[in-house]
Amino acid sequence: MKTRILLFCISCLLWASCGNSGQNYVIEGTLPSLKYDGEWIYLVPMENAPGRVDSVKITNASFSFSGQGEEMRVLRLRQLLVVTEPGTIHVKADSVGSVTGTPQNDALQKWKEGREKKQEAYHFIRTGLRNATGKDSLHLIQIRDSLRMQEQETNFLFLKEQGNNTLGTFMRKMVRGSLTEEQQKLLDES
């Protein structure tokens, strides 16, 4: 009888651990060189979770985290936002940094790359405005205003697409203020 109870308990544990495997995440990261070997990298919750910091030592210019639960986190050595969602997440912690491999992280990376291009364009316009006069300055201002409208539309569509998932909820706090009043209202209604 004791043997049957023990076998039953073991099979329940095995079943429970196998059934949960779809909710696990793995973060596999690389760095551009061995210079960070021996240093620690931290996976830190972005909000409301004091004491829940995970850390690993960098070895052979790579690192790996695994766990359960979906939330916005930041990797601290090179700060990178990451959504700990089910699947394998690939991190490149180089000068630019990228996080890919799962739907929300892919969406965040795409948004981030688009934002970086817009920031370069804004920088070009600001530099041009320092020396521009007359029609040239008016033309640069029109380009800047058009770029701002494109950014608003991109942010609106991004938030609408993400909805209330972990990334959408977090990013709404970050970029909602950049939207027009009408876009904010439409987002609230959806």
Side-chain angles (χ1 to χ4, degrees):
M1 181 69 172
K2 289 182 183 179
T3 305
R4 285 184 184 165
I5 292 173
L6 181 60
L7 287 173
F8 176 74
C9 289
I10 290 172
S11 63
C12 285
L13 285 172
L14 288 173
W15 178 80
S17 67
C18 290
N20 241 354
S21 65
Q23 298 302 310
N24 295 338
Y25 66 85
V26 175
I27 300 173
E28 297 175 344
T30 60
L31 291 105
S33 73
L34 299 175
K35 86 177 192 181
Y36 295 103
D37 277 14
E39 292 190 34
W40 291 88
I41 190 163
Y42 302 92
L43 183 62
V44 181
M46 285 298 295
E47 305 174 309
N48 304 327
R52 292 195 37 241
V53 175
D54 197 0
S55 62
V56 295
K57 197 175 264 192
I58 298 168
T59 307
N60 296 323
S62 65
F63 60 91
S64 179
F65 289 97
S66 62
Q68 291 183 318
E70 183 176 308
E71 64 184 314
M72 289 302 302
R73 290 195 170 200
V74 64
L75 287 167
R76 300 233 166 138
L77 173 64
R78 298 274 185 252
Q79 291 203 16
L80 292 170
L81 284 178
V82 60
V83 180
T84 56
E85 65 182 314
T88 300
I89 302 158
H90 303 282
V91 175
K92 288 185 183 173
D94 55 14
S95 60
V96 177
S98 67
V99 180
T100 59
T102 58
Q104 292 180 76
N105 285 298
D106 289 346
L108 178 59
Q109 185 62 32
K110 183 179 175 185
W111 177 86
K112 180 182 134 184
E113 289 169 2
R115 178 160 170 75
E116 288 170 357
K117 287 179 183 175
K118 285 184 183 75
Q119 292 302 317
E120 289 173 12
Y122 281 129
H123 176 73
F124 176 78
I125 292 167
R126 279 191 304 272
T127 303
L129 282 171
R130 287 186 199 137
N131 300 320
T133 58
K135 289 183 180 181
D136 291 338
S137 65
L138 289 175
H139 182 66
L140 286 172
I141 289 170
Q142 288 174 337
I143 293 171
R144 182 197 63 198
D145 293 346
S146 174
L147 188 60
R148 195 170 285 146
M149 287 174 36
Q150 289 173 19
E151 185 176 19
Q152 288 173 324
E153 185 66 15
T154 299
N155 287 343
F156 172 71
L157 294 173
F158 176 77
L159 292 175
K160 191 171 180 180
E161 181 180 307
Q162 295 306 311
N164 290 324
N165 67 14
T166 302
L167 178 59
T169 301
F170 176 79
M171 291 300 289
R172 195 171 296 117
K173 296 173 193 171
M174 302 297 286
V175 300
R176 180 179 165 79
S178 72
L179 304 179
T180 66
E181 287 183 27
E182 183 178 337
Q183 289 171 328
Q184 290 179 18
K185 183 179 176 185
L186 289 170
L187 197 60
D188 291 341
E189 292 171 355
S190 62

